[in-house]
Amino acid sequence: MKEVSFIRQNIEKWKAMEQVIDEVALRNPAELADAYTEITTDLSFSRSHYPSSRITLYLNNLASALHNQLYKNRKERYSRIITFWTREIPEVMYRSRKELFYSFIVFIISLLIGAISTVGDDGFVRLIMGDGYVDMTLRNIENGDPMGVYSNSSSLPMFLYITFNNIRVSFIIFVFGLFTGFGTGMVLFQNGVMLGAFLAFLFQRGVGFESMLAVWLHGTFEISAIIVAGAAGFALGNGWLFPGSYSRGYAFREGAKRGLKIIVGLIPVFITAGFIESYLTRHTEYSTLIRLSVILLSLALVVYYYIVLPENIKNERVKAKN
């Protein structure tokens, strides 16, 4: 590769690393470590191909500065388990706010398609949910317990199955980002259509309100997490599909790291959703006020953590920089 091509391909990345050094007080150790790994790779390449070039000297100075900052901040790694969820996840969600919006839109549209299709065709819900599940739900409605599916299994096995299944689904949504946003969008679409069809089916049978209280008791966390996982998948796909001013390889690695961090950060959300679904959703005898309060509190926590907190942290950085 010619030196000028090497510089043109990576100059924006190096400028971003300079900003990391300038804002070191606002950065977490993981960002410094990632930047240091990237710059040492470029420095090694430059030393091999352009040993006497000024760009090699520049990269060496940049690597040294990053190394010094990383060494100074090494003690912060012991608190990483806390800062990962209080700083790193909100920061990565701010950078992924567009992907989160796209994921939300895809899911809502697919949910509406599922609901409208069920209203227009009685057989659609059986095509989506399967005859066995639909017939079981009809029997539960006839017995006066439309949400009886949640009380048919013991709590602990149900909790373990639901939690691991939801985590599995989130990883599938993320990994399908390798097939561009189309792959992630298809998985989101399938889940949205399924939920929309199921809710419309229950409203058709006159148990919509009671069912909504039961479904969204755990579904507020569960569905929100699936939408966030969609943002991770879009981040992965867009990384190599739309690299912007970065090299395609660098953009893909950054998108993959960003998406994987989002997925790992979702694990506590899925655990909470699994716990609620296994231990609380089955108690349909709880008052409407109690269940509605849990739903609204869950929604408030999701909105704050994934939308409000990332914006607040970004504003803190802007104020500190000024």
Side-chain angles (χ1 to χ4, degrees), residues 198-272:
F198 182 60
L199 293 178
F201 169 73
L202 292 171
F203 270 100
Q204 286 180 318
R205 297 305 184 276
V207 293
F209 180 73
E210 173 61 31
S211 302
M212 289 285 281
L213 285 176
V215 170
W216 289 107
L217 193 64
H218 61 272
T220 304
F221 279 125
E222 183 176 286
I223 300 304
S224 297
I226 288 176
I227 293 173
V228 173
F234 285 135
L236 175 63
N238 292 344
W240 70 269
L241 191 62
F242 304 110
S245 58
Y246 299 110
S247 68
R248 195 173 300 276
Y250 176 78
F252 173 74
R253 290 194 298 272
E254 286 300 302
K257 286 188 288 187
R258 184 154 51 103
L260 185 59
K261 186 175 289 188
I262 292 173
I263 292 298
V264 173
L266 282 173
I267 292 177
V269 181
F270 282 125
I271 291 175
T272 303

Side-chain angles (χ1 to χ4, degrees), residues 127-264:
L127 178 66
I128 297 298
M129 306 297 298
D131 289 334
Y133 191 86
V134 172
D135 291 338
M136 177 190 65
T137 303
L138 288 173
R139 288 194 298 270
N140 289 336
I141 293 173
E142 291 175 0
N143 295 331
D145 186 16
M147 293 292 100
V149 64
Y150 295 108
S151 57
N152 291 336
S153 303
S154 56
S155 296
L156 182 58
M158 185 177 179
F159 165 69
L160 294 175
Y161 172 78
I162 289 173
T163 300
F164 282 107
N165 183 66
N166 286 338
I167 293 174
R168 180 185 65 84
V169 171
S170 71
F171 270 98
I172 290 174
I173 293 173
F174 169 59
V175 171
F176 266 57
L178 290 170
F179 303 100
T180 72
F182 179 78
T184 292
M186 283 301 298
V187 183
L188 284 172
F189 182 81
Q190 292 172 358
N191 282 272
V193 168
M194 186 180 299
L195 178 62
F198 182 60
L199 293 178
F201 169 73
L202 292 171
F203 270 100
Q204 286 180 318
R205 297 305 184 276
V207 293
F209 180 73
E210 173 61 31
S211 302
M212 289 285 281
L213 285 176
V215 170
W216 289 107
L217 193 64
H218 61 272
T220 304
F221 279 125
E222 183 176 286
I223 300 304
S224 297
I226 288 176
I227 293 173
V228 173
F234 285 135
L236 175 63
N238 292 344
W240 70 269
L241 191 62
F242 304 110
S245 58
Y246 299 110
S247 68
R248 195 173 300 276
Y250 176 78
F252 173 74
R253 290 194 298 272
E254 286 300 302
K257 286 188 288 187
R258 184 154 51 103
L260 185 59
K261 186 175 289 188
I262 292 173
I263 292 298
V264 173

Side-chain angles (χ1 to χ4, degrees), residues 85-87 90 303-314:
W85 274 280
T86 59
R87 299 289 301 190
V303 171
Y304 174 76
Y305 187 72
Y306 287 105
I307 299 176
V308 177
L309 183 58
E311 187 69 33
N312 290 344
I313 290 178
K314 175 61 178 181

Side-chain angles (χ1 to χ4, degrees), residues 263-318:
I263 292 298
V264 173
L266 282 173
I267 292 177
V269 181
F270 282 125
I271 291 175
T272 303
F275 177 84
I276 293 174
E277 185 170 359
S278 305
Y279 289 92
L280 299 182
T281 300
R282 64 181 61 219
H283 292 289
T284 55
E285 73 276 9
Y286 288 170
S287 70
T288 299
L289 179 60
I290 291 176
R291 291 186 287 172
L292 191 58
S293 297
V294 173
I295 293 171
L296 293 177
L297 177 60
S298 300
L299 180 61
L301 288 173
V302 168
V303 171
Y304 174 76
Y305 187 72
Y306 287 105
I307 299 176
V308 177
L309 183 58
E311 187 69 33
N312 290 344
I313 290 178
K314 175 61 178 181
N315 292 336
E316 287 177 11
R317 284 191 169 186
V318 173

Side-chain angles (χ1 to χ4, degrees), residues 26 82-91 313 316-317:
L26 303 174
I82 296 175
T83 59
F84 179 79
W85 274 280
T86 59
R87 299 289 301 190
E88 293 184 41
I89 296 299
E91 287 170 359
I313 290 178
E316 287 177 11
R317 284 191 169 186

